[in-house]
Amino acid sequence: MIEGKLIVFSAPSGSGKTTIVQHLLKQKELNLDFSISATSREPREGEEDGKDYYFMSLSEFKQHIKDDDFLEWEEVYRDNFYGTLKQEVERIWAKGKHVVFDIDVVGGLDIKRIYPERTLAVFVEPPSIEELKIRLKKRKTETEDRINMRVAKASIEMATAPQFDFIIVNNNLQEALEESYKLVKEFTQNQL
């Protein structure tokens, strides 16, 4: 199996990292495949197991932790675990592709720590906390309490931005997409 590279996009919820990752995945010349995270939370409307996440019960998730099956994992909110199964990275590398992640900052930094030379870690920053709150409200997927919890978490996450290789401020989506493409293309073409 040829080991590819790892491209991590992390950001506070609502910063636009998922939109950026989805755009990059459509650029076939980048040779990327999406790392599907595992989670113990319930699926949201329209989400599919094995496509959006690997959904598992809390006890299943904890068993995977005990069995050391995760490259990284975190309890993001109480009893809401997220993580990357080692076999997910191996699955993508076996296809001869580079792995792209859309994960929280702790997981992103963990992957960078484990594979420092092989990982490009990009932090997507919203223009401001106020703009982030507006974006989360526009989604209409969460309660006001949940939005406030995400905004509070975002302030903490934004403090980790300097630990990433690059910071992209998503003030203009088209510019953020172009900058992300350029970074990923350059990184994947360089030899280790």
Side-chain angles (χ1 to χ4, degrees), residues 32-95:
L32 303 176
D33 200 354
F34 182 65
S35 172
I36 302 167
S37 295
T39 184
S40 65
R41 74 160 171 77
E42 291 294 315
R44 293 186 185 122
E45 189 176 326
E47 288 182 330
E48 292 178 44
D49 184 50
K51 181 178 176 252
D52 299 293
Y53 287 95
Y54 295 116
F55 293 101
M56 53 184 71
S57 69
L58 186 57
S59 61
E60 281 178 292
F61 200 102
K62 288 182 176 181
Q63 187 59 52
H64 281 292
I65 292 170
K66 282 183 190 166
D67 294 341
D68 194 32
D69 292 336
F70 287 107
L71 182 59
E72 60 79 29
W73 63 271
E74 182 189 8
E75 186 175 16
V76 178
Y77 301 105
R78 187 161 184 261
D79 288 339
N80 264 1
F81 287 82
Y82 291 83
T84 303
L85 291 161
K86 292 174 183 174
Q87 69 187 33
E88 181 65 4
V89 172
E90 292 164 6
R91 175 187 72 81
I92 294 168
W93 280 349
K95 292 172 25 177

Side-chain angles (χ1 to χ4, degrees), residues 125-139:
E125 196 170 274
S128 67
I129 290 290
E130 294 75 30
E131 175 62 23
L132 185 72
K133 194 166 187 174
I134 291 166
R135 290 178 185 179
L136 290 170
K137 283 183 177 185
K138 280 184 183 174
R139 283 184 180 177

Side-chain angles (χ1 to χ4, degrees), residues 10-17 103-105 123-126 129 132 136 139 150-151 153-159:
S10 296
S13 185
S15 297
K17 73 179 180 305
I103 58 176
D104 68 81
V105 297
F123 188 89
V124 181
E125 196 170 274
I129 290 290
L132 185 72
L136 290 170
R139 283 184 180 177
R150 287 193 184 276
V151 168
K153 188 173 190 276
S155 299
I156 296 162
E157 290 171 327
M158 286 171 66

Side-chain angles (χ1 to χ4, degrees), residues 12-23:
S13 185
S15 297
K17 73 179 180 305
T18 302
T19 302
I20 291 169
V21 167
Q22 288 172 347
H23 170 76

